[in-house]
Amino acid sequence: MSTIESILNEARVFPPSDAFASKANIPSFQAYEALCAEAEQDYQKFWANRAREQIVWHKPFTQVLNDQKAPFFEWFGDGELNVSYNCLDRHLEKQGDKIAIIFESDDGEVIRTTYHDLHQRVCQLANALKSQNIRKGDRVVIYMPMRTEAVIAMQACARIGAIHSVVFGGFSAKSLHERIHDAGAVAVITADEQIRGGKRNPLKAIVDEALSKTDDISVRLVVIYQRTGADIEFNPARDVWWHELTKNASSQCEPEWVSAEHPLFTLYTSGSTGKPKGVQHSSAGYLLGTKVSMQWVFDYKPTDVFWCTADVGWITGHSYVAYGPLAMGATQVIFEGIPTYPHAGRFWEIIQKHQVTTFYTAPTAIRSLIKLGADLPEQFELSSLRLLGSVGEPINPEAWIWFYEKVGRSRCPIVDTWWQTETGSHTIAPMPGAVALKPGSCTFPLPGISAAVIDETGQDVENGKGGFLVIKKPFPSQVRTLWSDPERFRTTYFPDEICHGKYYLAGDSAYRDKEGYFWIMGRVDDVLNVSGHRLGTMEIESALVAHPLVAEAAVVGKPHEVKGESVIAFVVLKGQYPHGKEIEQIAHTLREWVAKEIGPIAKPDEVRFGENLPKTRSGKIMRRLLRTLAKGEEITQDISTLENPAILEQLKYPTK
Ligand code: 6R9
């Protein structure tokens, strides 16, 4: 993993090749600048024009931006549309027989679904949900394996105006319960089991456990997709098989026309408190963001075979699996498994087999594949590739160069896309035919995105200086509110301090170099980025203190070669400071406990015990000291406010 210094010293520049630029949707820097100038002149008109070009409206809008209730912005408010119509029906006449999804299962089975068939299956499930009284505005939690059916479930909700909330299959029963409860979901769509890397995960049993918590009376329907045929507990009062429910359902379903601002979905993400935030997105603005970014950043062409490796449990899987590619009428690959099963060349094999042109993945996957087989890509025919993409965390220049040379064979630009669950779609990312790339930089904002770097007083910092990354003007695909917590929405994203309540505060620190390129430096809040997944330190801390042995806990991130960051927990036990074998045993128990409470992704890599934590005299935990200890570095910071300096020695050494 490179240091921040090595990123900042990165001097290599990769201009677009003539071959790529000449065919690109945005073929020159001038063309990019022209779009930016159009947006600069009148950003509302700019977005209104895009919305008219890109979306099929059932009822055209007359209002563009409504900022009366800022920061609760509304876009295209009096327009009506249906997102599923825009992703499916609009393609049927011209390309109903085009393959929408090439699905490859964990064990290599391939199933191709045309737009026509996908439309039918979505309509059937939509009708089936309606027959169970699921209505517009109802919340439906989706807890599914990464299969075509997950996309069908999302699209079926969109079709009837139900608000989906997808929960990643790796989350525990407790996390699932929390999300179901917060959303007030009336239905859950799941599968008997999930298989990834040959391992089974009993999704339905986890749903049962989540629903056994007493306060979940809101869920009255559980739809089960049969993936493996495993034995499951079947509760006839509530459970129904997907195949039985859809068997006699009509394959025509008139879409529910909803207003532009109707919530398409909520997606829970970690914040700086223990409680996950239900990020709520609109219908039209969100759809527009996914569409323009498909064209500008992914340079989408109808002949593309698009593959985004993200699970639909994350925003990347929403925008660039479930919605963006379908809205464009693209052919895309969906893969159920993991990059290393049954061998470390699986990704390259899939690219070769399905002739993938556009490959979008995360730096953590790239780093782990370098480790497992740096030369493996050479053994595959990857000439179908024309564009690569990276998302989720900063990509270190070494990984960038490997991806560029070994996978893209020095022919394919890499779009490093900075965005968030909250922005809905790409916000800072290169247009690959227009922008010269610098490894490790996400380059420039998309047209109409007024990204800036400011200091704590809200002033722009000059290029070369670090600061808070903000977006100054509203844009269509941005988060609308936090589900059932508008006040938290306002104070988190439009705080009075720093932003004067006006700018969107991203939670990242950033820097612009002398040419104006953006470099993302990482989170400024208590959010960790582990393998590209956002985890709140507070969330893990609350899980730890919920264990009967634990009195107090503090969690920090430590740089990790493959995962970007790893979780280090400092724990004070209720009883005595542990000794000998006990240390290892309790550490193990606590790691498993966190996996059970939140999910395996949140498991601490290390648990260190102390009789206390380093605290100021006013009782605040000094996390910056813990971060230094976690890295194994000497403490050189000022510790004059530290009440108990002796504790540092005790916390210095890993007790795995
Ligand atoms: C899309 C997604 C958002 C956080 C974000 C930032 C980090 C994402 C990045 C990146 C540097 C990139 N992040 N993309 N950092 N370069 N290209 O990942 O959404 O899960 O909400 O995470 O991820 O820290 O604030 P989400």
Side-chain angles (χ1 to χ4, degrees):
M1 186 64 186
S2 56
T3 60
I4 281 169
E5 288 70 34
S6 88
I7 290 181
L8 295 186
N9 290 330
E10 180 56 51
R12 285 167 284 194
V13 179
F14 296 79
S17 69
D18 289 343
F20 191 96
S22 62
K23 294 192 203 123
N25 293 340
I26 310 295
S28 65
F29 199 71
Q30 290 70 27
Y32 162 66
E33 283 183 315
L35 277 174
C36 292
E38 189 192 334
E40 193 61 35
Q41 209 176 27
D42 184 341
Y43 77 104
Q44 296 194 30
K45 191 165 153 212
F46 173 78
W47 284 120
N49 286 342
R50 301 290 92 76
R52 287 190 190 100
E53 285 160 20
Q54 301 282 342
I55 293 175
V56 181
W57 293 93
H58 180 65
K59 177 174 165 248
F61 60 91
T62 60
Q63 302 157 4
V64 183
L65 172 68
N66 177 355
D67 56 6
Q68 299 287 303
K69 289 176 273 165
F72 300 90
F73 299 106
E74 291 178 5
W75 284 91
F76 323 120
D78 60 345
E80 282 179 14
L81 78 164
N82 180 281
V83 171
S84 149
Y85 182 93
N86 272 272
C87 292
L88 300 170
D89 305 54
R90 77 173 295 181
H91 307 307
L92 292 184
E93 200 181 316
K94 283 205 184 113
Q95 53 165 53
D97 292 330
K98 182 174 176 179
I99 303 291
I101 296 175
I102 304 171
F103 168 74
E104 178 157 328
S105 78
D106 194 53
D107 59 4
E109 184 195 3
V110 176
I111 302 170
R112 293 183 169 79
T113 307
T114 63
Y115 272 91
H116 175 262
D117 292 347
L118 191 64
H119 174 259
Q120 287 210 336
R121 294 192 65 195
V122 167
C123 285
Q124 282 178 319
L125 184 65
N127 282 326
L129 292 174
K130 281 208 288 195
S131 76
Q132 298 293 310
N133 270 320
I134 310 293
R135 295 279 176 263
K136 174 178 165 189
D138 283 344
R139 273 81 60 210
V140 175
V141 163
I142 297 175
Y143 189 61
M144 290 280 283
M146 186 57 191
R147 291 179 68 91
T148 305
E149 286 73 18
V151 174
I152 292 176
M154 294 162 83
Q155 287 282 344
C157 288
R159 192 155 193 99
I160 63 174
I163 304 166
H164 62 68
S165 192
V166 183
V167 177
F168 175 59
F171 276 117
S172 67
K174 180 151 184 282
S175 300
L176 177 62
H177 167 258
E178 240 171 42
R179 287 156 173 76
I180 291 172
H181 180 67
D182 191 78
V186 297
V188 178
I189 306 179
T190 189
D192 48 1
E193 290 186 311
Q194 171 177 39
I195 305 190
R196 290 177 82 229
K199 290 202 194 103
R200 287 165 181 246
N201 181 22
L203 295 181
K204 170 60 165 55
I206 298 171
V207 170
D208 288 342
E209 191 186 333
L211 294 182
S212 68
K213 324 256 172 193
T214 48
D215 48 6
D216 272 320
I217 36 172
S218 58
V219 172
R220 45 184 167 78
L221 175 72
V222 176
V223 181
I224 314 148
Y225 169 72
Q226 195 166 40
R227 163 66 182 94
T228 64
D231 269 349
I232 54 156
E233 291 222 10
F234 195 89
N235 173 353
R238 193 192 64 193
D239 296 350
V240 24
W241 287 107
W242 173 308
H243 56 267
E244 283 176 10
L245 191 64
T246 53
K247 197 167 52 192
N248 298 319
S250 157
S251 55
Q252 290 301 320
C253 175
E254 172 70 10
E256 179 81 34
W257 303 109
V258 299
S259 93
E261 281 297 320
H262 181 68
L264 179 64
F265 64 88
T266 65
L267 180 62
Y268 286 84
T269 186
S270 295
S272 41
T273 72
K275 192 169 175 271
K277 304 181 281 198
V279 170
Q280 181 180 317
H281 277 288
S282 69
S283 293
Y286 172 80
L287 179 68
L288 179 59
T290 65
K291 285 201 75 176
V292 294
S293 53
M294 284 294 298
Q295 293 158 75
W296 290 340
V297 180
F298 288 133
D299 188 46
Y300 172 71
K301 301 275 160 35
T303 47
D304 277 338
V305 177
F306 183 84
W307 184 21
C308 162
T309 65
D311 190 282
V312 287
W314 312 113
I315 190 68
T316 307
H318 280 61
S319 306
Y320 301 108
V321 178
Y323 291 109
L326 296 180
M328 296 310 300
T331 295
Q332 70 172 318
V333 171
I334 293 184
F335 173 45
E336 185 178 37
I338 58 171
T340 49
Y341 178 86
H343 56 79
R346 186 77 190 264
F347 270 6
W348 323 129
E349 188 180 68
I350 291 178
I351 292 171
Q352 171 181 287
K353 185 151 117 195
H354 303 302
Q355 296 286 291
V356 170
T357 61
T358 312
F359 178 59
Y360 189 38
T361 195
T364 184
I366 297 167
R367 288 192 298 265
S368 72
L369 292 171
I370 294 175
K371 230 176 159 176
L372 290 169
D375 296 328
L376 269 181
E378 279 162 20
Q379 296 172 20
F380 296 85
E381 171 61 49
L382 304 180
S383 57
S384 58
L385 286 173
R386 65 177 196 92
L387 181 63
L388 304 172
S390 170
V391 60
E393 51 179 317
I395 178 164
N396 47 312
E398 293 75 10
W400 196 101
I401 295 290
W402 181 86
F403 198 30
Y404 184 76
E405 289 178 350
K406 298 282 176 168
V407 181
R409 312 277 156 91
S410 305
R411 268 188 313 105
C412 310
I414 299 179
V415 289
D416 177 355
T417 58
W418 177 84
W419 60 295
Q420 310 175 293
T421 306
E422 293 86 344
T423 68
S425 53
H426 299 157
T427 29
I428 309 181
M431 300 195 174
V435 173
L437 306 171
K438 297 186 185 184
S441 166
C442 52
T443 76
F444 299 109
L446 268 60
I449 303 291
S450 50
V453 182
I454 63 172
D455 64 20
E456 55 291 336
T457 68
Q459 299 302 309
D460 282 2
V461 301
E462 53 192 277
N463 288 358
K465 288 218 171 104
F468 299 97
L469 182 58
V470 295
I471 302 175
K472 290 191 168 176
K473 289 181 196 148
F475 56 99
S477 72
Q478 79 193 98
V479 47
R480 290 304 191 262
T481 186
L482 293 178
W483 183 260
S484 72
D485 205 349
E487 190 49 26
R488 188 175 176 198
F489 168 79
R490 217 179 47 73
T491 53
T492 309
Y493 301 115
F494 297 88
D496 290 333
E497 63 282 9
I498 305 171
C499 295
H500 310 300
K502 285 197 317 222
Y503 305 153
Y504 168 78
L505 181 69
D508 281 317
S509 60
Y511 148 100
R512 299 186 78 169
D513 66 18
K514 56 181 187 313
E515 287 164 316
Y517 280 68
F518 281 77
W519 300 77
I520 308 296
M521 315 297 288
R523 302 286 307 187
V524 288
D525 51 13
D526 294 321
V527 172
L528 305 183
N529 193 327
V530 180
S531 301
H533 302 322
R534 270 167 72 169
L535 293 170
T537 50
M538 291 278 282
E539 252 176 287
I540 308 176
E541 288 165 9
S542 358
L544 283 165
V545 293
H547 191 280
L549 287 176
V550 176
E552 204 176 5
V555 164
V556 299
K558 170 181 169 177
H560 186 280
E561 210 188 333
V562 172
K563 298 195 269 191
E565 256 183 318
S566 63
V567 177
I568 313 295
F570 293 88
V571 170
V572 182
L573 295 177
K574 281 183 186 153
Q576 293 244 310
Y577 179 72
H579 289 285
K581 269 218 163 114
E582 225 181 16
I583 295 181
E584 214 168 291
Q585 275 162 5
I586 301 179
H588 176 76
T589 308
L590 295 180
R591 295 178 69 240
E592 294 308 313
W593 170 265
V594 173
K596 179 104 185 79
E597 287 282 292
I598 302 174
I601 47 170
K603 241 188 196 181
D605 271 31
E606 271 177 40
V607 181
R608 297 190 194 181
F609 298 100
E611 277 151 20
N612 204 339
L613 296 172
K615 287 184 189 150
T616 61
R617 283 168 221 286
S618 59
K620 265 204 162 129
I621 298 173
M622 296 181 76
R623 283 165 198 281
R624 60 187 171 85
L625 296 182
L626 291 176
R627 277 192 279 270
T628 308
L629 289 175
K631 280 193 259 180
E633 290 172 1
E634 283 303 317
I635 299 223
T636 52
Q637 297 108 315
D638 174 22
I639 53 166
S640 55
T641 55
L642 180 63
E643 168 144 299
N644 48 350
I647 203 69
L648 298 178
E649 194 57 28
Q650 203 176 36
L651 295 171
K652 216 167 175 176
Y653 306 102
T655 44
K656 291 234 177 182

